[in-house]
Amino acid sequence: MAVLPALADIDALEAWTGDTIPDDDPRALAVLAAASALVRSETRRTWLDDMGALAAIPDELGTVVVQVAARVWNNPEGVTYDLAGSFAANFGTDAPLGIHLTAPERAICARHRQASTGVWTLGTTRLGPGAIGADWTPTENGPLFPFGA
């Protein structure tokens, strides 16, 4: 399976977090790839053009990717609360979830979701009088006859 390009780059993550991140940092690349996969899954789109190159994505989706990646970048262990001397930090109850979309991020992705297409089967059941197996039964070489006829 081919690895798809991230929907945001390290420069965007760097700007969001305020950290200096090398262009080839494996952790940053992995976090951005995971965040991009999550957004792709939620939008049901690859965001690639016909040539397989990254297509233009809406700015708000790029922001979602960076937000998701930054949460994991800044808190890779999923710590909810940290205390160091007189300094305390609360990362929220969602921190242990790891890479995830918040409700507002899901709503943004939903606005860009591709509708389901393709072929599928729809099971049907006929209930009530006349349903096969209810009060009619087929015979091997003949028409349907009611039970007890």
Side-chain angles (χ1 to χ4, degrees):
M1 184 170 140
V3 176
L4 300 177
L7 299 177
D9 59 19
I10 289 181
D11 292 339
L13 181 61
E14 192 175 61
W16 194 268
T17 63
D19 296 340
T20 301
I21 306 170
D23 288 340
D24 60 348
D25 184 284
R27 184 169 158 251
L29 293 170
V31 167
L32 286 166
S36 297
L38 196 59
V39 168
R40 282 186 169 107
S41 175
E42 194 69 22
T43 60
R44 300 179 190 146
R45 295 175 183 234
T46 62
W47 299 100
L48 299 177
D49 64 18
D50 293 338
M51 301 300 290
L54 190 61
I57 65 167
D59 289 342
E60 62 183 354
L61 284 180
T63 300
V64 168
V65 170
V66 173
Q67 284 177 197
V68 170
R71 277 197 299 271
V72 177
W73 176 261
N74 288 327
N75 188 9
E77 289 86 25
V79 175
T80 57
Y81 189 79
D82 193 16
L83 180 64
S86 61
F87 173 78
N90 185 348
F91 296 99
T93 57
D94 288 347
L97 297 176
I99 195 144
H100 68 283
L101 293 170
T102 63
E105 290 164 347
R106 281 189 192 283
I108 290 169
C109 290
R111 289 196 292 266
H112 302 283
R113 182 174 296 136
Q114 184 173 34
S116 294
T117 60
V119 177
W120 66 91
T121 60
L122 176 63
T124 60
T125 303
R126 183 174 175 194
L127 301 175
I132 295 178
D135 57 353
W136 295 86
T137 184
T139 60
E140 187 173 322
N141 294 317
L144 299 176
F145 294 101
F147 285 109

